[in-house]
Amino acid sequence: QGVGRLLTRMARCCNPVPGDDVVGFVSRGRGLMVHRRGCPRTLELDPDRRISVSWDAKAKIDRPVTLRITTAHRPGILTAISQVFSDRNINITQVHAKPTSDEEAETSFTFNITGADKLQDLTRSLEKLPGVTSVDRV
């Protein structure tokens, strides 16, 4: 509010998406940085540089998000997870999978999404899958 034509960037540390509760920080030489409220990085920033920001309700912005999904380490689990993304017409742009034990695996999915409501729907659907033990936004 009231920053006019100040260059605005979304913080990469927390990748805010429309609908997230956000806070802005005026940085030196980099313009306005927008963070999700509660981002650990915001604790390091000068509170005097904090300003109130909000999303434009009409804006359609695709923002990158990464979810870390912990699952049972079994055949077919990645297929089931991918189907949840596909059912919502969400294109996965990057995947990193690794077993964390003989029984468990951790997979990170990066994708673009237009809002917190869609992200919440996706997260709930993933959490309901048999074999999924946790879904965390990175």
Side-chain angles (χ1 to χ4, degrees):
Q1 297 172 343
V3 294
R5 297 176 62 172
L6 185 64
L7 176 65
T8 303
R9 296 178 185 211
M10 301 299 149
R12 290 185 189 178
C13 53
C14 58
N15 287 322
V17 298
D20 280 339
D21 193 16
V22 290
V23 62
F25 291 91
V26 179
S27 64
R28 290 184 175 97
R30 296 193 68 206
L32 175 67
M33 298 298 293
V34 178
H35 291 263
R36 276 192 299 152
R37 192 171 301 279
C39 170
R41 178 88 168 93
T42 62
L43 299 174
E44 303 169 9
L45 302 171
D46 182 356
D48 292 336
R49 296 178 159 275
R50 184 178 304 159
I51 63 169
S52 177
V53 295
S54 61
W55 294 100
D56 180 345
K58 296 178 253 173
K60 297 290 183 201
I61 305 168
D62 262 354
R63 296 286 306 139
V65 174
T66 300
L67 291 179
R68 182 176 39 242
I69 305 173
T70 305
T71 64
H73 186 44
R74 65 169 175 82
I77 193 77
L78 290 180
T79 301
I81 292 170
S82 295
Q83 189 61 52
V84 172
F85 280 89
S86 181
D87 290 346
R88 282 153 186 77
N89 200 31
I90 298 171
N91 186 42
I92 299 166
T93 57
Q94 195 172 55
V95 177
H96 295 283
K98 64 180 178 182
T100 55
S101 71
D102 288 343
E103 296 85 29
E104 202 170 64
E106 187 177 278
T107 308
S108 294
F109 292 85
T110 302
F111 52 93
N112 290 326
I113 200 153
T114 57
D117 55 339
K118 291 181 181 184
L119 180 58
Q120 190 174 35
D121 172 62
L122 173 67
T123 301
R124 282 190 197 128
S125 296
L126 291 167
E127 290 171 335
K128 291 178 185 176
L129 287 175
V132 172
T133 55
S134 69
V135 179
D136 300 298
R137 186 171 173 184
V138 179

